[in-house]
Amino acid sequence: MTSSAARRGWLSVVSVALGSFVLVLSEFLPIGLLPAIARDLDVGIGTAGLMVVATGLVGAVAAPVVTVLTSRLDRRVVLVSLTILLVVADGLAAIAPNFTVLLIARMLLGVGIGGFWAIGAGIAGRLVRPEATIRATSLITAGVSVATVVSLPLGALVSSLATWRLAFVIGGVLGLVALVLQLAMLPRIPALQRVRFGTLGSLLRVPRARVGLIAAAFLFTAQFAAYTYVAPYLQDLVGVGPDTITLALLVFGIAGIVGNFTAGFTLGRTVLGTIDVAKVVLAVSVVLLPLLANSVVGVFILLVVWGLVWGALPLGMQTWMSTASPAGSETGLALFVTTIQLAIAAGSVLGGVAVSSFGLAADFWLAGAVAVIGAVVLVSMGLRRSNAVPTPAAAAAVPETTPTGSVAVVCP
């Protein structure tokens, strides 16, 4: 690859990363706007919350469906089409005359999120040199961390200064910028293989893929059982005000960005080690949070540690899954996206039950226990299934199926 082609490849990665940022920003922006939306559209706050749940559930279904239905199309065409869908969804939400139209717009966004992540998250290896795949992928997944940091403060600012509709206008405009960059920078990316629903089902019989999906389910359930209730924890147990809560969430998000890029290097040494150490540290951090609630400094330190390891974990699990499927990375990532979307919903519900029944402290202890179980599953099952984890170059290589049906990764 020439230096000119390499630069264009990285610009292509940036265009996809911006797309991932806008998608997650659009998904999270309304969370801080629910009271204003409920009031303006004359619905209950619980009903308004359906727009968040619906986006995630549609995304869970869309990931495998979009992967199968578009498996013969140029990936550039698919990614650009999904970005257009994002712009349409945000535009429709901005002018929605009632809650039904707004809910439809959010469901369209769910299709964009599910499809984009199943395809875009694994596209980096087609745009840069093999040895740069993990770093390029970390740039794309960093869009999640950055959007998480920006979405809540931006939503609060929009709510205080203008109508909630402005949030969707901002999402749509940023989506247009991502669309222009993708049209200008993305090369043709021909489809590599035809994917069928049967192919997705057969992936569950691949031990490495099955281990990854189980571990991801535990991880995202644990994360969102705890993270959903960070603000109430800071307010009720730590006893800090809104400004400190905003600062704490900002610190957590920035730590996540740092952790994401740090993982781009540690995953090159060991995928299994990076994931499992990060899971254990996450578990310890969330368990200690209630115990150190009387120390604001201690809480902030734990939030930094938690943010660092959380920033590494989605990229780590994605790297694991992208090398787990004999049919290619998109097949593995489709089921991965479905799994994490369902786990996010399950974690939020599980956390809510724990808080309602036993209190905030119990929720964090429960989340820690779930994370530990996920780490044990990954180590015990992962080590039995593979004694070695592919290197970054191997992870980016084209998988070949051996006569026994296992995967032999061809290193360049």
Side-chain angles (χ1 to χ4, degrees):
M1 182 181 288
T2 66
S3 59
S4 170
R7 282 195 300 272
R8 185 177 179 85
W10 279 102
L11 289 173
S12 299
V13 169
V14 169
S15 74
V16 179
L18 181 59
S20 73
F21 165 77
V22 181
L23 279 164
V24 176
L25 181 71
S26 297
E27 182 178 12
F28 289 162
L29 264 179
I31 293 177
L33 302 172
L34 288 182
I37 292 172
R39 184 172 58 252
D40 191 36
L41 298 183
D42 195 26
V43 296
I45 191 70
T47 302
L50 289 176
M51 61 186 288
V52 179
V53 177
T55 304
L57 293 180
V58 171
V61 175
V65 171
V66 171
T67 300
V68 170
L69 295 183
T70 66
S71 63
R72 287 184 170 178
L73 299 179
D74 187 299
R75 312 329 275 156
R76 178 183 187 272
V77 173
V78 178
L79 289 175
V80 167
S81 299
L82 292 170
T83 304
I84 291 173
L85 186 61
L86 156 70
V87 174
V88 171
D90 278 345
L92 182 61
I95 62 172
N98 53 56
F99 184 72
T100 300
V101 175
L102 180 59
L103 195 60
I104 292 171
R106 298 295 294 176
M107 293 171 73
L108 290 176
L109 179 66
V111 174
I113 289 172
F116 192 96
W117 273 105
I119 297 169
I123 208 71
R126 309 273 311 270
L127 301 174
V128 298
R129 292 186 178 95
E131 63 271 16
T133 296
I134 289 181
R135 292 198 302 275
T137 304
S138 71
L139 181 60
I140 293 174
T141 57
V144 178
S145 299
V146 176
T148 302
V149 173
V150 171
S151 59
L152 294 181
L154 181 59
L157 180 64
V158 168
S159 181
S160 63
L161 297 180
T163 171
W164 56 268
R165 297 179 187 275
L166 178 61
F168 295 107
V169 173
I170 292 171
V173 170
L174 291 175
L176 281 174
V177 174
L179 176 62
V180 170
L181 283 176
Q182 288 168 13
L183 288 171
M185 297 300 174
L186 281 178
R188 290 186 65 255
I189 311 173
L192 292 178
Q193 74 279 324
R194 174 72 185 275
V195 179
R196 295 180 171 84
F197 286 108
T199 309
L200 296 173
S202 66
L203 183 63
L204 297 176
R205 296 194 292 272
V206 178
R208 183 176 173 83
R210 192 164 58 243
V211 169
L213 292 173
I214 293 172
F218 277 107
L219 166 64
F220 280 84
T221 298
Q223 168 67 16
F224 284 89
Y227 183 67
T228 302
Y229 296 94
V230 165
Y233 157 80
L234 291 168
Q235 176 179 301
D236 298 339
L237 290 188
V238 184
V240 296
D243 291 343
T244 304
I245 292 173
T246 300
L247 177 62
L249 294 175
L250 182 64
V251 166
F252 178 91
I254 293 173
I257 297 171
V258 174
N260 177 273
F261 286 109
T262 301
F265 295 96
T266 62
L267 288 167
R269 297 181 177 274
T270 167
V271 177
L272 180 61
T274 298
I275 296 172
D276 224 56
V277 169
K279 278 193 174 188
V280 171
V281 174
L282 184 151
V284 172
S285 300
V286 298
V287 166
L288 288 178
L289 279 170
L291 301 178
L292 293 182
N294 61 342
S295 170
V296 175
V297 174
V299 167
F300 267 73
I301 291 173
L302 288 176
L303 287 175
V304 169
V305 174
W306 181 10
L308 282 169
V309 295
W310 172 245
L313 280 165
L315 176 61
M317 293 307 309
Q318 179 181 307
T319 302
W320 179 283
M321 287 303 302
S322 67
T323 62
S325 171
S329 64
E330 285 185 9
T331 306
L333 290 176
L335 288 186
F336 176 66
V337 173
T338 296
T339 299
I340 64 175
Q341 290 287 349
L342 294 177
I344 288 170
S348 299
V349 171
L350 185 64
V353 171
V355 169
S356 299
S357 303
F358 305 105
L360 283 164
D363 173 44
F364 285 85
W365 294 333
L366 175 63
V370 174
V372 167
I373 294 171
V376 171
V377 166
L378 186 65
V379 168
S380 60
M381 297 178 66
L383 288 179
R384 285 204 308 267
R385 297 305 182 186
S386 59
N387 292 323
V389 179
T391 64
V398 179
E400 291 185 348
T401 305
T402 66
T404 60
S406 60
V407 177
V409 181
V410 182
C411 299

